[in-house]
Amino acid sequence: MQMRVWELQKIKQAKKQFFTRCGYEDDGSRRRELALLRGAFCNAFRSIAGLTELGNILERDHSTIVHSFKQHESRLFYADYRRFYKIACEIRKEIDLEIVKEVDVKSYENEITRLNDLITELSKYKELYLTLKKTFDEF
């Protein structure tokens, strides 16, 4: 399932909040701390976002995200990684509820709008059909 734009924005905001809460700024470097932070964030948000989305949010290739998933178990032995992962999970829980609430309301509103447009279009075709039928019945 492809994520909606506003869902991606929420996760990008969560990333900024995560780095700030951990006391770092993501400058895109390969420093150990930043790699651990990105890995912890990936694993905390893997249930919400896919490889491509996480890659875009973290400005990394999807293969880097896959590598983070594979390294998760072994990195849990490091205290700093465990701390980062715990913070990322807390942030995910904070935004997870908001996403679920907004998805329900927004997706239903969009579906209602789409169905109303379809009804309007079908009504036009019905009127056209009845007009043509009346014309041909007169012959």
Side-chain angles (χ1 to χ4, degrees):
M1 184 176 116
Q2 188 173 0
M3 296 189 76
R4 294 167 180 88
V5 173
W6 53 269
E7 289 174 321
L8 289 172
Q9 291 299 328
K10 288 245 182 229
I11 296 175
K12 285 180 183 180
Q13 291 170 357
K15 175 197 163 202
K16 289 179 184 177
Q17 183 182 2
F18 170 65
F19 275 81
T20 302
R21 198 180 291 183
C22 291
Y24 291 90
E25 185 177 331
D26 191 3
D27 61 6
S29 71
R30 295 182 179 191
R31 287 188 7 230
R32 179 184 181 277
E33 299 86 10
L34 295 178
L36 291 178
L37 280 162
R38 287 189 286 265
F41 185 85
C42 285
N43 283 287
F45 282 82
R46 78 186 291 180
S47 63
I48 295 176
L51 295 174
T52 306
E53 289 91 2
L54 285 172
N56 289 337
I57 290 165
L58 293 170
E59 298 174 1
R60 292 289 186 263
D61 189 72
H62 76 280
S63 61
T64 303
I65 307 304
V66 171
H67 179 72
S68 294
F69 293 163
K70 290 179 180 180
Q71 296 298 313
H72 179 64
E73 292 295 321
S74 62
R75 286 180 174 171
L76 285 172
F77 290 109
Y78 300 105
D80 51 351
Y81 181 81
R82 280 194 311 271
R83 184 175 68 84
F84 296 153
Y85 181 66
K86 182 180 176 186
I87 293 170
C89 287
E90 290 170 0
I91 292 173
R92 184 201 68 229
K93 287 177 185 173
E94 291 170 9
I95 72 152
D96 199 14
L97 295 174
E98 294 173 23
I99 286 177
V100 170
K101 289 177 189 172
E102 290 182 41
V103 167
D104 290 341
V105 174
K106 190 67 175 170
S107 62
Y108 289 138
E109 287 174 352
N110 289 340
E111 185 66 12
I112 289 169
T113 302
R114 188 186 70 76
L115 290 172
N116 282 334
D117 292 344
L118 183 62
I119 289 170
T120 303
E121 184 179 349
L122 290 173
S123 296
K124 290 176 185 176
Y125 283 115
K126 178 184 170 188
E127 291 299 319
L128 181 62
Y129 168 77
L130 293 175
T131 304
L132 289 172
K133 184 178 184 303
K134 183 178 175 182
T135 304
F136 283 111
D137 285 345
E138 291 175 359
F139 286 116

